[in-house]
């Protein structure tokens, strides 16, 4: 597994409350190579989004290990995990997660500025042009359509050229035609940059476009 960009090793996740213990993930084990595209599919509540959060190091497993670019995420502290995410990982969410008080350009500049890139404005402007939003640089999210907001989110995710892009139902808030355009753009950018794409989706047509499909049922990989 040393060549893997992501290695998920016997991951379990349980939560306990007054009603007892709920097993969310049970013995999840797989590895992904650089440039690979994988769809994580399953019914609502099957554990897909929890798995994605653990891969990102945003949530911790009850047992097991996740390695990102060879680094065990759970032997380092949260600050170190955040630094590793900033270097290696991009995110795209169903709800866009844009900052409402920043323009499209400022949203895309933000990860570059956090990385102390002096060319942040230039690079962000070029990336927004790549996603077809040159005319929307100064617009705030509230005046952008859903499809435009998701394209801003894609630009923000890809502008740092992440080794891994994690996408959680990226077309879930969009109509079919707009979702198709966004997915086309995501796969194009993925190929251009050689990113590893991990995509949580309930859309079988999107899953078919990926190199691999990992199906989760009741917290376990079944295919």
């Amino acid at each position: 597994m040393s060549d893997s960009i992501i290695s998920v090793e016997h991951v379990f996740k349980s939560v306990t409350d007054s009603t007892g213990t709920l097993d969310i993930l049970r013995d999840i084990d797989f590895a992904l190579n650089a440039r690979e595209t994988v769809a994580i599919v399953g019914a609502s509540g099957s554990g897909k989004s929890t798995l994605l959060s653990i891969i990102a190091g945003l949530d911790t497993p009850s047992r097991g290990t996740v390695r990102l670019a060879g680094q065990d995420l759970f032997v380092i502290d949260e600050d170190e995990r955040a630094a590793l995410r900033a270097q290696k990982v991009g995110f795209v969410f169903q709800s866009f997660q844009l900052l409402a008080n920043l323009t499209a350009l400022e949203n895309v500049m933000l990860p570059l500025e956090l990385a102390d890139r002096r060319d942040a404005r230039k690079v962000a402007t070029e990336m927004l042009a790549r996603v077809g939003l040159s005319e929307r640089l100064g617009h705030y999210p509230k005046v952008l359509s859903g499809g435009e907001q998701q394209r801003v989110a894609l630009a923000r995710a890809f502008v740092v050229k992440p080794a891994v892009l994690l996408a959680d139902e990226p077309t879930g808030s969009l109509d079919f035609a707009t979702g198709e355009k966004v997915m086309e753009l995501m796969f194009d950018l993925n190929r251009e940059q050689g990113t590893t794409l991990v995509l949580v989706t309930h859309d079988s047509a999107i899953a078919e476009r990926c190199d691999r499909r990992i199906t989760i049922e009741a917290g376990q990989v079944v295919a």
Side-chain angles (χ1 to χ4, degrees):
M1 290 190 180
S2 58
D3 295 335
S4 305
I5 185 71
I6 296 170
S7 179
V8 179
E9 302 171 15
H10 302 292
V11 162
F12 291 74
K13 178 67 176 183
S14 301
V15 293
T16 301
D17 63 16
S18 59
T19 62
T21 298
L22 174 65
D23 295 322
I24 300 173
L25 297 173
R26 292 183 286 172
D27 202 16
I28 306 293
D29 193 81
F30 63 86
L32 302 177
N33 295 320
R35 298 177 176 269
E36 199 167 9
T37 58
V38 61
I40 299 175
V41 300
S44 178
S46 60
K48 306 185 302 296
S49 294
T50 299
L51 176 58
L52 202 69
S53 292
I54 289 174
I55 291 171
L58 295 168
D59 193 1
T60 55
S62 303
R63 288 161 49 197
T65 298
V66 175
R67 299 181 197 278
L68 176 60
Q71 173 64 62
D72 185 336
L73 291 181
F74 303 110
V75 299
I76 58 178
D77 65 29
E78 179 49 46
D79 287 345
E80 292 171 311
R81 280 198 293 274
L84 188 62
R85 277 195 296 272
Q87 292 171 6
K88 300 287 187 184
V89 182
F91 296 93
V92 179
F93 302 95
Q94 177 176 337
S95 55
F96 317 135
Q97 300 282 2
L98 301 178
L99 295 176
N101 62 331
L102 299 182
T103 64
L105 179 59
E106 289 165 345
N107 265 283
V108 179
M109 287 172 61
L110 185 60
L112 297 167
E113 291 175 329
L114 292 173
D116 293 325
R117 290 278 297 270
R118 294 186 178 183
D119 58 350
R121 180 172 292 272
K122 175 177 178 290
V123 174
T125 301
E126 290 170 352
M127 181 55 77
L128 281 164
R130 173 64 187 82
V131 301
L133 292 175
S134 289
E135 305 302 313
R136 297 285 190 269
L137 301 183
H139 289 60
Y140 289 91
K142 67 181 179 183
V143 297
L144 298 175
S145 69
E148 288 171 336
Q149 290 186 62
Q150 195 59 299
R151 282 189 279 158
V152 174
L154 282 180
R156 182 182 59 187
F158 278 104
V159 75
V160 293
K161 298 190 174 178
V164 175
L165 182 76
L166 303 177
D168 193 358
E169 299 283 10
T171 61
S173 297
L174 306 175
D175 64 73
F176 178 79
T178 304
E180 283 285 291
K181 291 174 184 174
V182 165
M183 287 310 305
E184 196 67 46
L185 182 58
M186 179 180 286
F187 281 107
D188 286 349
L189 289 168
N190 193 68
R191 282 190 294 270
E192 289 168 20
Q193 295 194 2
T195 305
T196 300
L197 175 62
V198 183
L199 175 68
V200 164
T201 184
H202 63 274
D203 187 326
S204 58
I206 292 174
E208 288 290 332
R209 299 178 62 173
C210 294
D211 299 328
R212 285 169 62 189
R213 181 195 301 224
I214 295 172
T215 302
I216 296 181
E217 287 182 12
Q220 292 183 295
V221 174
V222 295

